[in-house]
Amino acid sequence: MNLLATAGPFGISPSADQLMVINLSAILVGITFNAPQKVIKWGGLVIAVVTATCALWCGH
């Protein structure tokens, strides 16, 4: 019910901590996406998506 009570796109109103995690995830993608090794490239992308998603919906 917490998601229904918040305002913003998709019912999300991120806090400063959540925005910091999202920004750090975006920096991680920006740094690793042009890496020649596929493990670093896709690993950075997967880690960034998981941490950004958890920051918004897990409520830690």
Side-chain angles (χ1 to χ4, degrees):
M1 295 306 280
N2 189 15
L3 288 177
L4 298 175
T6 58
F10 306 111
I12 300 168
S13 180
S15 68
D17 290 339
Q18 291 169 323
L19 291 175
M20 188 182 317
V21 170
I22 292 169
N23 286 330
L24 289 173
S25 298
I27 290 170
L28 178 65
V29 170
I31 291 171
T32 62
F33 197 72
N34 290 328
Q37 298 91 356
K38 289 185 180 184
V39 172
I40 295 174
K41 178 179 184 175
W42 295 110
L45 184 64
V46 168
I47 291 170
V49 167
V50 169
T51 55
T53 304
C54 189
L56 290 175
W57 282 290
C58 290
H60 292 283

